[in-house]
Amino acid sequence: MIVLTPNEQQYQELNGYQNGMFRLEFAIDGSGRYFANLSILEYEPFKEVWDKLNELERIEFTPHPESEN
């Protein structure tokens, strides 16, 4: 699955962006990289930052390893 990942500057600028009650927060994949799903580029509450989000690098998502119990 392809996801969006920010560099440090993009992370600082976009993480925590808020529009009303909607807040953008990047998650962390299994390799420790911040990411957002591509669907964020169509999410209306973040319309004001779509151009900036579209500049993020597209990478292959790395799942978290399953914990051993």
Side-chain angles (χ1 to χ4, degrees):
M1 166 175 65
I2 301 298
V3 295
L4 302 170
T5 189
N7 62 34
E8 185 61 32
Q9 179 182 352
Q10 292 166 323
Y11 176 83
Q12 295 299 324
E13 184 177 349
L14 293 168
N15 195 59
Y17 169 81
Q18 193 157 350
N19 182 356
M21 62 185 227
F22 301 97
R23 182 178 173 94
L24 189 160
E25 291 188 14
F26 291 98
I28 298 176
D29 75 2
S31 65
R33 297 177 295 194
Y34 289 107
F35 78 95
N37 193 297
L38 285 174
S39 64
I40 200 168
L41 296 173
E42 299 172 2
Y43 192 56
E44 283 291 323
F46 301 146
K47 185 176 183 176
E48 292 179 8
V49 292
W50 279 348
D51 287 343
K52 291 178 182 179
L53 289 167
N54 203 34
E55 293 174 0
L56 302 181
E57 182 181 357
R58 284 158 171 76
I59 61 167
E60 185 69 32
F61 173 76
T62 303
H64 290 274
E66 294 193 30
S67 59
E68 296 179 26
N69 290 330

